[in-house]
Coordinates of all heavy atoms in Angstrom, one line a residue:
M1 N 0.9 -1.2 0.0 CA 0.0 0.0 0.0 C 0.9 1.2 0.0 O 1.9 1.3 0.7 CB -0.9 0.0 1.2 CG -1.6 1.3 1.5 SD -2.7 1.3 2.9 CE -4.0 0.2 2.4
K2 N 0.5 2.2 -0.8 CA 1.3 3.5 -0.8 C 0.8 4.4 0.3 O -0.3 4.2 0.8 CB 1.0 4.2 -2.1 CG 1.5 3.5 -3.4 CD 2.8 3.9 -3.7 CE 3.3 3.3 -5.1 NZ 4.7 3.4 -5.3
R3 N 1.8 5.2 0.7 CA 1.5 6.2 1.8 C 0.2 7.0 1.5 O -0.6 7.2 2.4 CB 2.7 7.1 2.0 CG 2.4 8.2 3.1 CD 3.5 9.0 3.4 NE 4.0 9.8 2.3 CZ 5.1 10.5 2.2 NH1 5.9 10.6 3.3 NH2 5.5 11.2 1.2
E4 N 0.1 7.5 0.3 CA -1.1 8.3 0.0 C -2.4 7.5 0.2 O -3.4 8.1 0.6 CB -1.0 8.8 -1.5 CG 0.1 9.9 -1.6 CD 1.5 9.3 -1.6 OE1 1.7 8.1 -1.9 OE2 2.5 10.0 -1.3
A5 N -2.4 6.2 -0.2 CA -3.6 5.4 0.0 C -4.0 5.2 1.5 O -5.1 5.3 1.9 CB -3.4 4.0 -0.7
L6 N -3.0 5.0 2.3 CA -3.2 4.9 3.7 C -3.7 6.2 4.3 O -4.6 6.2 5.1 CB -1.9 4.5 4.4 CG -2.0 4.4 6.0 CD1 -3.0 3.4 6.4 CD2 -0.6 4.0 6.6
I7 N -3.2 7.3 3.9 CA -3.6 8.6 4.4 C -5.1 8.9 4.0 O -5.9 9.4 4.8 CB -2.7 9.8 3.9 CG1 -1.3 9.7 4.6 CG2 -3.3 11.1 4.0 CD1 -0.3 10.6 4.1
R8 N -5.4 8.5 2.8 CA -6.8 8.6 2.3 C -7.8 7.8 3.3 O -8.8 8.2 3.7 CB -7.0 8.1 0.9 CG -6.7 9.2 -0.1 CD -7.2 8.8 -1.5 NE -6.7 7.5 -2.0 CZ -5.6 7.3 -2.6 NH1 -4.8 8.4 -2.9 NH2 -5.2 6.2 -3.0
Q9 N -7.4 6.5 3.6 CA -8.1 5.7 4.5 C -8.3 6.3 5.9 O -9.3 6.3 6.5 CB -7.5 4.3 4.6 CG -7.7 3.4 3.5 CD -7.1 2.0 3.8 OE1 -6.4 1.8 4.8 NE2 -7.2 1.1 2.8
L10 N -7.2 6.9 6.4 CA -7.2 7.5 7.7 C -8.0 8.7 7.7 O -8.8 8.9 8.7 CB -5.8 7.8 8.2 CG -4.8 6.6 8.4 CD1 -3.4 7.1 8.7 CD2 -5.3 5.7 9.4
R11 N -8.0 9.5 6.7 CA -8.8 10.7 6.6 C -10.3 10.4 6.6 O -11.1 11.0 7.2 CB -8.4 11.5 5.4 CG -9.1 12.9 5.3 CD -8.6 13.7 4.1 NE -7.3 14.3 4.4 CZ -6.2 14.1 3.7 NH1 -6.3 13.4 2.5 NH2 -5.1 14.7 4.0
K12 N -10.6 9.3 5.8 CA -12.0 8.9 5.7 C -12.5 8.4 7.1 O -13.6 8.7 7.5 CB -12.1 7.8 4.6 CG -13.5 7.3 4.4 CD -13.5 6.3 3.3 CE -14.9 5.7 3.1 NZ -14.8 4.6 2.0
L13 N -11.7 7.6 7.8 CA -12.0 7.1 9.1 C -12.2 8.2 10.1 O -13.2 8.2 10.9 CB -10.9 6.1 9.5 CG -11.1 5.5 10.9 CD1 -12.3 4.5 10.9 CD2 -9.8 4.9 11.5
A14 N -11.3 9.2 10.0 CA -11.4 10.3 11.0 C -12.7 11.1 10.7 O -13.4 11.5 11.7 CB -10.2 11.3 10.8
R15 N -13.1 11.3 9.5 CA -14.3 12.0 9.1 C -15.5 11.3 9.7 O -16.4 11.8 10.2 CB -14.4 12.2 7.6 CG -15.4 13.3 7.2 CD -15.3 13.6 5.7 NE -14.0 13.7 5.2 CZ -13.5 13.0 4.2 NH1 -14.2 12.1 3.6 NH2 -12.3 13.2 3.7
K16 N -15.5 9.9 9.4 CA -16.6 9.1 9.8 C -16.8 9.0 11.3 O -17.9 9.0 11.8 CB -16.3 7.7 9.3 CG -17.4 6.7 9.5 CD -17.0 5.4 8.9 CE -18.0 4.2 9.3 NZ -17.6 3.0 8.7
Q17 N -15.6 9.0 12.1 CA -15.7 8.9 13.5 C -15.7 10.3 14.2 O -15.7 10.4 15.5 CB -14.5 8.1 14.1 CG -14.7 6.6 13.6 CD -13.6 5.7 14.2 OE1 -12.7 6.2 14.9 NE2 -13.7 4.5 13.9
G18 N -15.5 11.4 13.5 CA -15.5 12.7 14.1 C -14.2 13.0 14.8 O -14.3 13.8 15.8
L19 N -13.1 12.4 14.3 CA -11.8 12.7 15.0 C -11.0 13.7 14.2 O -11.2 13.9 13.0 CB -11.0 11.4 15.0 CG -11.6 10.2 15.9 CD1 -10.8 9.0 15.6 CD2 -11.6 10.6 17.3
R20 N -10.1 14.4 15.0 CA -9.2 15.4 14.3 C -8.2 14.6 13.5 O -7.6 13.6 14.0 CB -8.6 16.2 15.4 CG -7.5 17.2 14.9 CD -7.0 18.0 16.0 NE -6.4 17.1 17.0 CZ -5.7 17.6 18.0 NH1 -5.6 18.8 18.2 NH2 -5.2 16.7 18.9
F21 N -7.9 15.0 12.3 CA -6.8 14.4 11.5 C -5.9 15.5 11.0 O -6.4 16.4 10.3 CB -7.5 13.6 10.4 CG -6.5 12.9 9.5 CD1 -5.8 11.8 9.9 CD2 -6.1 13.4 8.2 CE1 -4.9 11.1 9.1 CE2 -5.2 12.8 7.4 CZ -4.6 11.6 7.9
E22 N -4.6 15.3 11.2 CA -3.6 16.3 10.8 C -2.4 15.6 10.2 O -2.1 14.5 10.7 CB -3.2 17.2 11.9 CG -4.2 18.1 12.5 CD -3.7 18.9 13.7 OE1 -3.2 20.0 13.4 OE2 -3.7 18.4 14.8
I23 N -1.9 16.2 9.2 CA -0.6 15.7 8.6 C 0.4 16.8 8.7 O 0.2 17.9 8.3 CB -0.8 15.3 7.1 CG1 -1.9 14.3 6.9 CG2 0.5 14.9 6.5 CD1 -2.3 14.1 5.5
F24 N 1.6 16.4 9.2 CA 2.7 17.4 9.4 C 3.8 17.0 8.5 O 4.5 16.0 8.8 CB 3.2 17.4 10.9 CG 2.1 17.7 11.9 CD1 1.5 16.7 12.6 CD2 1.7 19.1 12.1 CE1 0.5 17.0 13.5 CE2 0.7 19.4 13.0 CZ 0.1 18.3 13.7
T25 N 4.0 17.7 7.4 CA 5.0 17.3 6.4 C 6.4 17.9 6.8 O 7.4 17.5 6.4 CB 4.6 17.8 5.0 OG1 4.4 19.2 5.0 CG2 3.4 17.1 4.5
D26 N 6.3 18.9 7.7 CA 7.6 19.5 8.1 C 8.2 19.0 9.4 O 9.3 19.3 9.7 CB 7.4 21.0 8.3 CG 6.3 21.4 9.3 OD1 5.5 20.5 9.6 OD2 6.2 22.5 9.7
R27 N 7.5 18.1 10.1 CA 8.0 17.6 11.4 C 8.8 16.3 11.2 O 9.5 15.9 12.0 CB 6.9 17.4 12.4 CG 6.4 18.8 12.9 CD 5.5 18.6 14.1 NE 4.9 19.8 14.5 CZ 4.0 19.9 15.4 NH1 3.6 18.9 16.1 NH2 3.5 21.1 15.7
G28 N 8.5 15.6 10.1 CA 9.1 14.3 9.9 C 10.5 14.5 9.4 O 10.8 15.6 8.8
R29 N 11.4 13.5 9.5 CA 12.7 13.6 9.0 C 12.8 13.1 7.5 O 12.2 12.0 7.3 CB 13.7 12.9 9.8 CG 13.8 13.5 11.2 CD 14.7 12.8 12.2 NE 16.0 12.6 11.7 CZ 17.0 13.4 12.0 NH1 16.8 14.5 12.7 NH2 18.2 13.2 11.5
G30 N 13.4 13.8 6.6 CA 13.5 13.3 5.2 C 12.1 13.4 4.6 O 11.4 14.4 4.6
S31 N 11.7 12.2 4.0 CA 10.4 12.2 3.4 C 9.3 11.6 4.2 O 8.3 11.1 3.7 CB 10.5 11.4 2.1 OG 11.0 10.1 2.4
H32 N 9.5 11.5 5.5 CA 8.6 11.0 6.5 C 7.5 12.1 6.8 O 7.9 13.2 7.0 CB 9.2 10.5 7.7 CG 10.1 9.3 7.5 ND1 11.2 9.3 6.7 CD2 10.0 8.0 8.0 CE1 11.7 8.1 6.7 NE2 11.0 7.3 7.5
Y33 N 6.3 11.6 7.0 CA 5.2 12.5 7.5 C 4.8 12.1 8.9 O 4.9 10.9 9.3 CB 3.9 12.3 6.7 CG 4.0 12.9 5.3 CD1 2.9 12.7 4.5 CD2 5.0 13.6 4.8 CE1 2.8 13.2 3.2 CE2 5.0 14.1 3.5 CZ 3.9 14.0 2.7 OH 3.9 14.5 1.5
R34 N 4.5 13.1 9.8 CA 3.9 12.8 11.1 C 2.4 13.0 10.9 O 1.9 13.9 10.3 CB 4.4 13.8 12.1 CG 5.9 13.8 12.4 CD 6.3 12.6 13.3 NE 5.8 12.9 14.6 CZ 5.7 12.0 15.6 NH1 6.0 10.8 15.3 NH2 5.3 12.3 16.7
V35 N 1.6 12.0 11.4 CA 0.2 12.0 11.3 C -0.5 12.0 12.7 O 0.0 11.2 13.5 CB -0.3 10.8 10.4 CG1 -1.8 10.7 10.4 CG2 0.3 10.9 9.0
R36 N -1.5 12.8 12.9 CA -2.2 12.8 14.1 C -3.6 12.4 13.8 O -4.3 12.9 12.9 CB -2.2 14.1 14.8 CG -3.1 14.2 16.0 CD -3.0 15.5 16.7 NE -1.7 15.6 17.2 CZ -1.1 16.7 17.7 NH1 -1.8 17.8 17.7 NH2 0.1 16.7 18.2
L37 N -4.1 11.4 14.5 CA -5.5 10.9 14.4 C -6.1 11.0 15.8 O -5.7 10.2 16.7 CB -5.6 9.5 13.9 CG -7.0 9.0 13.7 CD1 -7.8 9.8 12.7 CD2 -6.9 7.5 13.3
G38 N -7.0 11.9 16.1 CA -7.5 12.1 17.4 C -6.4 12.6 18.4 O -5.8 13.6 18.1
D39 N -6.1 11.9 19.4 CA -5.0 12.3 20.3 C -3.7 11.5 20.2 O -2.8 11.6 21.0 CB -5.5 12.3 21.8 CG -5.9 10.8 22.2 OD1 -6.0 10.0 21.3 OD2 -6.1 10.6 23.4
R40 N -3.7 10.6 19.1 CA -2.5 9.8 18.9 C -1.7 10.3 17.7 O -2.3 10.8 16.7 CB -2.9 8.3 18.7 CG -3.5 7.8 19.9 CD -3.9 6.3 19.7 NE -4.3 5.7 20.9 CZ -3.9 4.5 21.3 NH1 -3.1 3.8 20.5 NH2 -4.4 4.0 22.4
M41 N -0.4 10.0 17.7 CA 0.4 10.5 16.6 C 1.4 9.4 16.2 O 1.9 8.6 17.1 CB 1.2 11.7 17.0 CG 2.0 12.4 15.9 SD 2.7 14.0 16.5 CE 1.7 15.1 15.6
T42 N 1.8 9.3 14.9 CA 2.8 8.4 14.5 C 3.5 8.9 13.2 O 3.1 10.0 12.7 CB 2.2 7.0 14.1 OG1 3.2 6.1 13.9 CG2 1.3 7.1 12.9
T43 N 4.5 8.2 12.8 CA 5.3 8.6 11.6 C 5.0 7.7 10.5 O 5.0 6.4 10.7 CB 6.8 8.7 11.9 OG1 7.0 9.5 13.0 CG2 7.6 9.1 10.7
I44 N 4.8 8.2 9.3 CA 4.6 7.4 8.1 C 5.7 7.7 7.1 O 5.9 8.8 6.7 CB 3.2 7.6 7.5 CG1 2.1 7.3 8.5 CG2 3.0 6.7 6.2 CD1 0.8 7.6 8.0
Q45 N 6.4 6.6 6.6 CA 7.5 6.8 5.7 C 6.8 6.9 4.3 O 5.7 6.7 4.1 CB 8.4 5.6 5.6 CG 7.8 4.3 5.2 CD 8.7 3.1 5.3 OE1 9.6 3.2 6.1 NE2 8.4 2.1 4.6
S46 N 7.7 7.3 3.3 CA 7.1 7.5 1.9 C 7.2 6.2 1.2 O 7.9 5.3 1.6 CB 7.9 8.6 1.2 OG 9.3 8.1 1.0
G47 N 6.5 6.1 0.0 CA 6.6 4.9 -0.8 C 5.7 3.8 -0.4 O 4.7 4.0 0.2
E48 N 6.1 2.6 -0.8 CA 5.3 1.4 -0.6 C 5.4 1.0 0.9 O 6.6 0.9 1.4 CB 5.8 0.3 -1.5 CG 4.9 -0.9 -1.6 CD 3.5 -0.6 -2.2 OE1 3.4 0.3 -3.1 OE2 2.6 -1.3 -1.8
L49 N 4.3 0.7 1.5 CA 4.3 0.2 2.9 C 3.9 -1.2 3.0 O 2.9 -1.6 2.3 CB 3.3 1.1 3.7 CG 3.5 2.6 3.7 CD1 2.3 3.2 4.4 CD2 4.8 3.0 4.4
S50 N 4.7 -2.0 3.7 CA 4.3 -3.4 3.8 C 3.1 -3.6 4.7 O 2.7 -2.7 5.4 CB 5.5 -4.2 4.5 OG 5.6 -3.8 5.8
T51 N 2.5 -4.8 4.6 CA 1.3 -5.1 5.3 C 1.6 -4.9 6.8 O 0.7 -4.4 7.6 CB 0.7 -6.5 5.0 OG1 0.5 -6.5 3.6 CG2 -0.5 -6.8 5.7
L52 N 2.7 -5.4 7.3 CA 3.1 -5.4 8.7 C 3.3 -3.9 9.1 O 2.8 -3.5 10.2 CB 4.4 -6.1 8.9 CG 4.9 -6.1 10.3 CD1 4.0 -6.8 11.3 CD2 6.3 -6.8 10.4
H53 N 3.9 -3.1 8.3 CA 4.0 -1.7 8.6 C 2.7 -1.0 8.7 O 2.5 -0.2 9.6 CB 4.9 -1.0 7.6 CG 5.5 0.3 8.0 ND1 6.7 0.4 8.7 CD2 5.1 1.5 8.0 CE1 7.0 1.6 9.0 NE2 6.0 2.3 8.6
V54 N 1.8 -1.2 7.8 CA 0.4 -0.6 7.9 C -0.3 -1.0 9.1 O -0.9 -0.2 9.8 CB -0.4 -1.0 6.6 CG1 -1.9 -0.6 6.8 CG2 0.2 -0.4 5.4
R55 N -0.2 -2.3 9.5 CA -0.8 -2.8 10.7 C -0.2 -2.1 12.0 O -0.9 -1.7 12.9 CB -0.6 -4.3 10.8 CG -1.4 -5.0 11.9 CD -1.3 -6.5 12.0 NE -1.1 -7.1 10.6 CZ -0.3 -8.1 10.3 NH1 0.4 -8.7 11.3 NH2 -0.3 -8.6 9.1
T56 N 1.1 -1.9 12.0 CA 1.8 -1.2 13.1 C 1.3 0.2 13.2 O 1.0 0.7 14.3 CB 3.3 -1.3 12.9 OG1 3.7 -2.6 12.8 CG2 4.0 -0.6 14.0
I57 N 1.2 0.9 12.1 CA 0.7 2.3 12.1 C -0.7 2.4 12.6 O -1.0 3.2 13.5 CB 0.8 2.9 10.7 CG1 2.3 3.1 10.3 CG2 0.1 4.2 10.6 CD1 2.5 3.4 8.8
R58 N -1.5 1.5 12.1 CA -2.9 1.5 12.6 C -3.0 1.2 14.1 O -3.8 1.8 14.8 CB -3.7 0.5 11.8 CG -3.9 0.8 10.3 CD -4.6 -0.2 9.5 NE -5.9 -0.5 10.0 CZ -7.0 0.1 9.5 NH1 -6.9 1.1 8.6 NH2 -8.2 -0.2 10.0
R59 N -2.2 0.3 14.6 CA -2.2 0.0 16.0 C -1.7 1.2 16.8 O -2.3 1.5 17.9 CB -1.3 -1.2 16.3 CG -1.4 -1.7 17.7 CD -0.5 -2.9 18.0 NE -0.7 -4.0 17.0 CZ 0.3 -4.5 16.3 NH1 1.6 -4.1 16.5 NH2 0.1 -5.5 15.4
Q60 N -0.7 1.9 16.3 CA -0.2 3.1 17.0 C -1.2 4.2 17.1 O -1.3 4.9 18.0 CB 1.1 3.6 16.3 CG 2.3 2.7 16.5 CD 3.4 3.1 15.6 OE1 3.3 3.9 14.7 NE2 4.6 2.6 15.9
L61 N -2.1 4.2 16.1 CA -3.2 5.2 16.0 C -4.4 4.8 16.8 O -5.4 5.5 16.8 CB -3.5 5.6 14.6 CG -2.3 6.4 13.9 CD1 -2.7 6.6 12.4 CD2 -2.0 7.7 14.6
G62 N -4.4 3.5 17.3 CA -5.6 3.0 18.1 C -6.7 2.6 17.2 O -7.9 2.6 17.6
I63 N -6.4 2.1 16.0 CA -7.5 1.7 15.1 C -7.6 0.1 15.2 O -6.6 -0.6 15.0 CB -7.2 2.1 13.6 CG1 -7.0 3.6 13.6 CG2 -8.2 1.6 12.7 CD1 -6.5 4.1 12.3
E64 N -8.8 -0.3 15.3 CA -9.1 -1.7 15.4 C -8.8 -2.3 14.0 O -9.1 -1.7 13.0 CB -10.6 -2.0 15.8 CG -10.9 -1.6 17.1 CD -10.2 -2.5 18.2 OE1 -10.1 -3.8 17.9 OE2 -9.9 -2.0 19.2
Q65 N -8.3 -3.5 13.9 CA -8.0 -4.2 12.6 C -9.3 -4.7 12.0 O -10.2 -5.1 12.8 CB -7.1 -5.3 12.8 CG -5.7 -4.9 13.3 CD -5.0 -4.0 12.3 OE1 -5.0 -4.2 11.1 NE2 -4.4 -2.9 12.8
D66 N -9.4 -4.6 10.7 CA -10.6 -5.1 10.1 C -10.6 -6.6 10.0 O -9.6 -7.3 9.8 CB -10.7 -4.6 8.6 CG -10.8 -3.1 8.5 OD1 -11.3 -2.5 9.6 OD2 -10.4 -2.5 7.6
G67 N -11.8 -7.2 10.2 CA -12.0 -8.7 10.1 C -11.4 -9.4 11.2 O -11.1 -10.4 11.4

């Protein structure tokens, strides 16, 4: 999954659940973004993200896994 696709999913989830969603492009190092969902924050690298990495990001943001 690409970073942009994950960000789209997170933005949609935040809108649906009424949570604050912010992306900080200037706080990450290099091409990394800092993302805030509600009161949780994590870093997302650029490019292709492995399934394990996506699962870790979702866990850090407190999102229940699908299925």
